[in-house]
């Protein structure tokens, strides 16, 4: 669906009539006063322990969410070399099977417009007739979450892909050691927003011992509005409900690329400006590469749903403008709820599919692995 | 009590009425629900902590009462052994009364869109009403619906896509003339 189609529908919606109450203010007040006089001793509702909720939330926010990588090789260089090769997202890293070649060919045959929606590791728009499947895995140290995105046909039975999670991860060689969700049966109703996971007792144990599982499930299910997941063991004798709603307010840390990362600062109180400036100092760990030269100067302002990033021209050179830098800024803006970013005073007009003359929409998904049938 | 009522009436009444009407599409039920909104606002205003804006708080109350209404409808349906998912609640929205406002919906596509909105899921419909009919921001919509901004965007995208598809289907059936045909 094109933006013009979107606009057509939005125009129609905006032309729908406003319905106004025809009763007078006095008439309404009389009715309310009457109800109060009939039920003067209404029970008071229970007080909600807001502070307890906040405390739990703060604990969750303090959890580490960074991905550890042992390699210290200059991944940017390796990656840049790879970038020149292909737009073919599946072929870059993950597998080499015959199926992959078929998918690569199919991808290559798409119309240019649709192909341009996918800029390798991030998806800038859901292609026509496609839906997004959100998977997530953890790294082998079981410390960090890696969100994964697959594209599936629009009318596909989404639940089917979750039932084949093990198989899909194996095909793409993404199956982590000691995967928490190994051999789990999924029963998901996307309409009623219910998810039930059936597995061995170790899964139930994981619900109590680690927040990794709830982080994993929140990456997979919150995008669909599913905020509670029921976990039962195979004999249906034990049950645990995991509430994912506290993860909603967390800023997302994005792990991108095989060996270099974009990590969006997740401190709950940081502003989008502080988060973007922190991108320059993002070398907290030997395994995390900075996405931006520390000498680059810029200002950050927002205007409604747009973040305006204005560079000091004398501090940025053409070679400083990398895909990693642009996507780090876009994803940071996304994590703060903005819709697009206007880049000003970049030394180049275009980088790959990013045209800097106009505001660039934030990506809709990250780590796009493949299109699957 | 009256001062609070007056302030809420002047500030939010017609917007909340409009939101509730689009959700239930019945004038009498809308009036009852809006009345219940005032009762809950008056009863609980001393506990409103300002974590969200007053507007999103008031709309959240309206949303909960609308859902209570849908749940009651669902229970009524269960008595007659019909099973309907909560998220398909639009199916048992009562037959619409013709209101003066409806009578003025003359533009064919707009009129069709008015009907097609009921074929979206309840969550999609709420997002569409709040975003495009009531012009709430993404953040306000997320707060009212207790969703993330990202969830709202996803629902918004799906709703638009679904409405486009439904509109195309209807046009293909010939029920509605497209612009080309009109010329």
């Amino acid at each position: 669906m094109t933006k013009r189609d979107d606009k057509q529908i939005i125009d129609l919606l905006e032309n729908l009539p406003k319905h106004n109450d025809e009763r007078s203010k006095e008439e309404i007040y009389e009715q309310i006063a009457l109800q109060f006089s009939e039920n003067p001793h209404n029970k008071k509702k229970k007080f909600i322990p807001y502070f307890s909720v906040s405390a739990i939330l703060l604990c969750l926010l303090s959890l580490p969410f960074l991905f550890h990588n042992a390699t210290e090789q200059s991944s940017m260089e390796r990656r840049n070399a790879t970038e020149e090769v292909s737009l073919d997202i599946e072929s870059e890293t993950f597998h080499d099977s015959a199926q992959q070649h078929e998918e690569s060919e199919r991808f290559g045959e798409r119309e240019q417009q649709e192909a341009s929606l996918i800029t390798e590791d991030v998806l800038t728009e859901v292609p026509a007739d496609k839906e997004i499947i959100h998977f997530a895995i953890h790294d082998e140290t079981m410390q960090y979450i890696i969100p994964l995105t697959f594209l599936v046909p629009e009318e596909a039975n989404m639940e089917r892909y979750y039932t084949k999670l093990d198989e899909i991860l194996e095909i793409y060689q993404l199956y982590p050691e000691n995967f928490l969700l190994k051999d789990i049966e999924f029963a998901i109703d996307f309409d009623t927003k219910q998810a039930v996971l059936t597995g061995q007792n170790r899964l139930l144990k994981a619900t109590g011992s680690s927040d990794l599982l709830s982080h994993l499930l929140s990456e997979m299910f919150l995008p669909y509005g599913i905020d509670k997941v029921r976990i039962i063991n195979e004999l249906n004798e034990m049950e645990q409900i995991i509430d994912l709603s506290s993860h909603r307010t967390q800023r997302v840390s994005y792990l991108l690329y095989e060996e270099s990362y974009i990590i969006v600062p997740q401190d709950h109180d940081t502003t989008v400006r502080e988060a973007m400036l922190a991108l320059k100092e993002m070398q907290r760990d030997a395994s995390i590469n900075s996405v931006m030269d520390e000498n680059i100067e810029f200002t950050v302002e927002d205007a409604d749903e747009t973040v305006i990033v204005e560079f000091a021209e004398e501090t940025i050179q053409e070679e400083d403008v990398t895909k990693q830098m642009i996507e780090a800024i876009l994803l940071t803006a996304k994590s703060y709820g903005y819709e697009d970013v206007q880049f000003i005073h970049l030394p180049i007009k275009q980088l790959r599919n990013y045209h800097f003359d106009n505001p660039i929409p934030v990506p809709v998904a990250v780590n796009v692995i493949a299109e699957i049938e | 009590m009256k001062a609070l009522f007056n302030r809420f009436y002047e500030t939010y009444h017609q917007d909340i009425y409009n939101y509730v009407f689009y959700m239930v599409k019945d004038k009498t039920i809308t009036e009852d629900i809006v009345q219940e909104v005032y009762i809950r606002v008056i009863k609980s205003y001393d506990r409103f902590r300002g974590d969200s804006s007053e507007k999103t708080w008031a709309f959240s109350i309206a949303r909960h009462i609308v859902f209570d209404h849908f749940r009651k409808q669902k229970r009524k349906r269960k008595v007659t052994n019909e099973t309907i998912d909560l998220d398909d609640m639009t199916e048992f929205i009562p037959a619409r009364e013709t209101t003066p406002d409806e009578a003025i919906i003359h533009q064919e596509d707009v009129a069709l869109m008015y009907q097609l909105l009921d074929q979206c899921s309840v969550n999609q419909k709420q997002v569409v009403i709040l975003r495009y009919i009531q012009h709430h921001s993404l953040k306000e919509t997320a707060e009212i619906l207790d969703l993330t901004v990202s969830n709202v965007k996803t629902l918004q995208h799906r709703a638009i896509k679904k409405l486009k598809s439904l509109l195309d289907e209807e046009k293909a059936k010939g029920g509605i003339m497209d612009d080309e045909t009109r010329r």
Side-chain angles (χ1 to χ4, degrees):
Chain A
M1 198 165 75
T2 64
K3 288 202 168 181
R4 202 177 64 179
D5 290 334
D6 281 4
K7 191 173 181 311
Q8 180 203 3
I9 299 300
I10 291 167
D11 283 347
L12 290 172
L13 291 168
E14 288 180 339
N15 275 303
L16 285 169
K18 285 274 170 89
H19 294 270
N20 290 323
D21 195 347
E22 292 156 4
R23 298 171 298 171
S24 69
K25 187 165 82 171
E26 288 68 29
E27 191 184 341
I28 297 164
Y29 183 74
E30 275 174 25
Q31 289 291 324
I32 292 164
L34 184 65
Q35 263 187 271
F36 267 98
S37 65
E38 283 170 354
N39 299 295
H41 301 298
N42 285 303
K43 279 185 186 174
K44 283 202 170 183
K45 287 179 185 171
K46 272 188 178 174
F47 176 74
I48 302 167
Y50 291 101
F51 290 110
S52 303
V53 174
S54 302
I56 293 166
L57 197 63
L58 281 171
C59 289
L60 289 167
L61 287 171
S62 67
L63 291 170
F65 205 60
L66 305 175
F67 183 76
H68 174 75
N69 188 336
T71 181
E72 291 185 11
Q73 187 172 354
S74 171
S75 54
M76 288 279 189
E77 289 170 17
R78 288 179 54 180
R79 180 67 184 187
N80 286 343
T82 315
E83 282 170 8
E84 298 305 316
V85 176
S86 167
L87 244 179
D88 192 352
I89 50 172
E90 310 94 310
S91 65
E92 282 197 0
T93 320
F94 300 105
H95 76 126
D96 191 36
S97 66
Q99 182 189 346
Q100 181 218 352
H101 291 304
E102 283 175 23
E103 286 179 354
S104 300
E105 277 180 28
R106 189 163 58 242
F107 188 76
E109 286 166 10
R110 283 187 205 160
E111 290 177 11
Q112 182 59 35
Q113 186 190 358
E114 192 164 313
S116 69
L117 299 174
I118 299 171
T119 55
E120 299 195 353
D121 299 283
V122 303
L123 192 67
T124 53
E125 192 175 331
V126 180
D129 307 314
K130 298 291 174 200
E131 290 277 6
I132 290 175
I133 289 280
H134 294 279
F135 281 164
I137 55 174
H138 52 73
D139 73 319
E140 297 192 352
T141 68
M142 299 187 74
Q143 291 183 75
Y144 312 117
I145 305 295
I146 306 167
L148 303 174
T149 304
F150 289 85
L151 290 169
V152 300
E154 186 181 25
E155 297 305 325
N157 176 356
M158 303 273 275
E159 186 183 350
R160 189 170 68 87
Y161 297 98
Y162 285 88
T163 61
K164 290 187 171 182
L165 177 62
D166 284 350
E167 194 183 319
I168 292 169
L169 294 178
E170 287 283 11
I171 289 170
Y172 289 92
Q173 296 179 10
L174 289 165
Y175 210 104
E177 286 285 324
N178 303 316
F179 188 35
L180 266 183
L181 299 180
K182 186 181 180 187
D183 298 330
I184 299 301
E185 283 180 26
F186 291 83
I188 305 166
D189 189 328
F190 289 94
D191 292 327
T192 59
K193 307 203 179 309
Q194 294 180 37
V196 180
L197 275 56
T198 306
Q200 295 169 2
N201 287 345
R202 71 183 185 94
L203 183 66
L204 277 158
K205 283 181 191 159
T207 62
S209 63
S210 161
D211 285 303
L212 184 69
L213 180 62
S214 60
H215 277 292
L216 201 59
L217 297 176
S218 63
E219 284 294 330
M220 292 170 70
F221 295 121
L222 279 181
Y224 304 112
I226 297 173
D227 61 7
K228 284 194 178 56
V229 176
R230 196 152 67 95
I231 296 187
I232 53 178
N233 75 344
E234 288 165 314
L235 300 175
N236 207 17
E237 61 192 3
M238 286 197 285
E239 177 176 324
Q240 181 91 33
I241 292 177
I242 300 185
D243 187 351
L244 309 175
S245 52
S246 59
H247 291 274
R248 279 184 178 142
T249 51
Q250 266 187 300
R251 307 241 182 271
V252 180
S253 290
Y254 298 96
L255 180 147
L256 288 186
Y257 314 131
E258 190 186 7
E259 294 170 72
S260 63
Y261 311 112
I262 292 169
I263 304 293
V264 178
Q266 57 177 335
D267 183 343
H268 191 53
D269 295 323
T270 53
T271 63
V272 67
R273 179 182 171 278
E274 289 166 335
M276 286 190 183
L277 290 173
L279 291 172
K280 294 199 292 183
E281 301 152 6
M282 214 176 47
Q283 216 149 0
R284 302 178 214 172
D285 181 313
S287 63
I288 298 173
N289 292 297
S290 174
V291 294
M292 195 185 303
D293 189 292
E294 61 184 5
N295 296 314
I296 297 172
E297 299 292 335
F298 59 93
T299 60
V300 179
E301 288 180 7
D302 64 349
D304 296 324
E305 289 159 0
T306 302
V307 179
I308 301 163
V309 180
E310 182 169 357
F311 291 87
E313 285 176 89
E314 66 281 9
T315 66
I316 186 165
Q317 309 297 318
E318 192 169 325
E319 58 271 26
D320 292 328
V321 185
T322 62
K323 179 172 174 291
Q324 287 85 353
M325 183 187 90
I326 298 301
E327 288 178 354
I329 291 171
L330 290 171
L331 288 168
T332 304
K334 176 186 168 77
S335 75
Y336 283 80
Y338 292 94
E339 289 192 343
D340 42 42
V341 176
Q342 174 73 69
F343 292 89
I344 298 176
H345 292 155
L346 280 176
I348 55 175
K349 293 281 183 196
Q350 181 183 349
L351 178 73
R352 304 175 70 81
N353 293 318
Y354 297 120
H355 297 265
F356 302 120
D357 287 340
N358 296 308
I360 297 175
V362 299
V364 294
V366 295
N367 290 337
V368 184
I369 305 303
E371 183 178 334
I372 51 180
E373 294 296 329
Chain B
M1 176 172 122
K2 186 150 192 185
L4 182 61
F5 168 82
N6 280 338
R7 192 164 64 76
F8 265 73
Y9 181 89
E10 299 300 342
T11 317
Y12 310 118
H13 183 82
Q14 296 301 356
D15 278 350
I16 288 179
Y17 183 93
N18 192 48
Y19 161 73
V20 175
F21 186 90
Y22 268 98
M23 289 303 293
V24 302
K25 296 253 185 100
D26 182 286
K27 185 167 168 272
T28 308
I29 293 170
T30 300
E31 289 175 358
D32 289 347
I33 288 175
V34 170
Q35 203 161 299
E36 181 63 23
V37 172
Y38 280 110
I39 288 167
R40 291 204 198 172
V41 163
I42 291 164
K43 279 182 186 171
S44 59
Y45 191 73
D46 58 342
R47 296 197 298 275
F48 170 58
R49 289 165 171 268
D51 293 338
S52 60
S53 71
E54 198 176 73
K55 180 166 87 169
T56 57
W57 178 67
F59 268 86
S60 298
I61 290 173
R63 178 175 72 90
H64 284 295
I65 300 171
V66 166
F67 273 68
D68 285 346
H69 163 74
F70 286 146
R71 286 190 193 96
K72 284 177 197 163
Q73 293 280 339
K74 188 184 180 187
R75 282 199 289 275
K76 281 183 192 169
R77 285 280 175 132
K78 273 191 174 170
V79 172
T80 59
N81 290 328
E82 288 179 54
T83 55
I84 290 173
D85 290 333
L86 193 64
D87 215 34
D88 285 333
M89 288 177 290
T90 45
E91 284 185 30
F92 47 84
I93 284 170
R96 286 187 287 280
E97 297 171 17
T98 304
T99 67
D101 281 330
E102 282 180 316
I104 62 165
I105 301 173
H106 59 276
Q107 192 185 348
E108 287 173 333
D109 283 356
V110 176
L112 184 57
M113 191 56 63
Y114 184 76
Q115 307 287 339
L116 294 179
L117 201 52
D118 294 342
Q119 292 185 44
C120 290
S121 74
V122 168
N123 280 327
Q124 288 172 351
K125 187 175 167 183
Q126 290 192 109
V127 167
V128 165
I129 294 167
L130 293 170
R131 290 280 292 135
Y132 300 119
I133 302 175
Q134 310 248 243
H135 303 291
H136 289 280
S137 69
L138 279 168
K139 187 169 176 286
E140 284 174 337
T141 305
E143 281 178 13
I144 291 166
L145 301 180
D146 194 21
L147 296 170
T148 63
V149 168
S150 172
N151 291 157
V152 172
K153 285 180 187 172
T154 304
L155 285 165
Q156 182 176 300
H157 176 77
R158 290 188 172 176
I160 299 290
K161 199 158 73 169
K162 183 162 189 172
L163 289 168
K164 171 67 182 159
S165 160
L166 290 168
L167 188 67
D168 288 345
E169 273 175 35
E170 288 297 324
K171 283 183 173 178
K173 283 181 200 166
I176 296 291
M177 288 186 295
D178 59 23
D179 291 342
E180 291 294 323
T181 316
R182 280 188 197 104
R183 284 185 212 116

